[in-house]
Amino acid sequence: MNVKRLSTGILVGLAAGAVTTLLSTPQSGRELRGTIKETKDHWSDHVLEIQMNIQQIKESIQQVSKEGKESIQSALMELKESVQQWKKEADPHINNLHEELEAIQSAMEELERTINQNQSTSSTTSSNE
């Protein structure tokens, strides 16, 4: 859509330039026609060159877009693999931590029971005296 606007703008500019030249030229009709023909040929070459450049830009953008998409997909795959590898390496350590936490909790419960028993025994011994 932007290419159409650009082309339309160029054509309108060419037409305005041609009209301005026709109205302000001090040349004879034959000289003016020659000048107009040269100008038309010159601008036709420029328009073709611009169209080729626009096509090259489109192709470059498509190529960069394709390469960018491939790069992102590759990076995502590598990231997924890294996360999976990390998880695989971390799982045994996490399990060990859970086991150690359970052992600590059991030891604390046992310690509480022992303390409670010692307090009960101390209370009983104190009351017997």
Side-chain angles (χ1 to χ4, degrees):
M1 187 160 183
N2 291 334
V3 175
K4 289 181 182 180
R5 286 184 180 176
L6 178 65
S7 299
T8 303
I10 290 172
L11 292 175
V12 168
L14 287 172
V19 168
T20 303
T21 302
L22 284 172
L23 297 176
S24 65
T25 185
Q27 298 175 334
S28 69
R30 183 175 293 169
E31 290 174 348
L32 181 60
R33 284 190 295 273
T35 303
I36 290 173
K37 185 175 189 254
E38 288 175 18
T39 304
K40 180 190 77 103
D41 292 341
H42 177 74
W43 280 104
S44 293
D45 292 341
H46 281 299
V47 168
L48 287 174
E49 185 177 334
I50 289 171
Q51 286 175 341
M52 287 189 304
N53 288 340
I54 289 172
Q55 185 61 33
Q56 288 175 346
I57 289 170
K58 278 183 176 179
E59 291 171 0
S60 296
I61 289 172
Q62 289 173 346
Q63 182 65 27
V64 167
S65 175
K66 181 181 176 185
E67 289 173 2
K69 186 185 282 187
E70 290 171 356
S71 296
I72 289 172
Q73 288 175 345
S74 175
L76 285 175
M77 290 297 287
E78 289 177 12
L79 183 61
K80 283 181 182 179
E81 289 173 3
S82 294
V83 168
Q84 288 174 349
Q85 182 65 30
W86 175 82
K87 187 176 179 187
K88 186 185 280 187
E89 291 173 1
D91 278 344
H93 299 291
I94 291 171
N95 290 336
N96 287 340
L97 286 173
H98 282 293
E99 290 172 2
E100 287 180 20
L101 285 173
E102 288 174 3
I104 290 171
Q105 187 174 7
S106 296
M108 288 178 66
E109 290 171 356
E110 182 63 33
L111 182 61
E112 282 180 16
R113 279 194 295 271
T114 303
I115 290 172
N116 287 338
Q117 284 178 351
N118 286 342
Q119 286 177 349
S120 304
T121 308
S122 302
S123 306
T124 308
T125 310
S126 299
S127 43
N128 286 340
E129 291 177 3

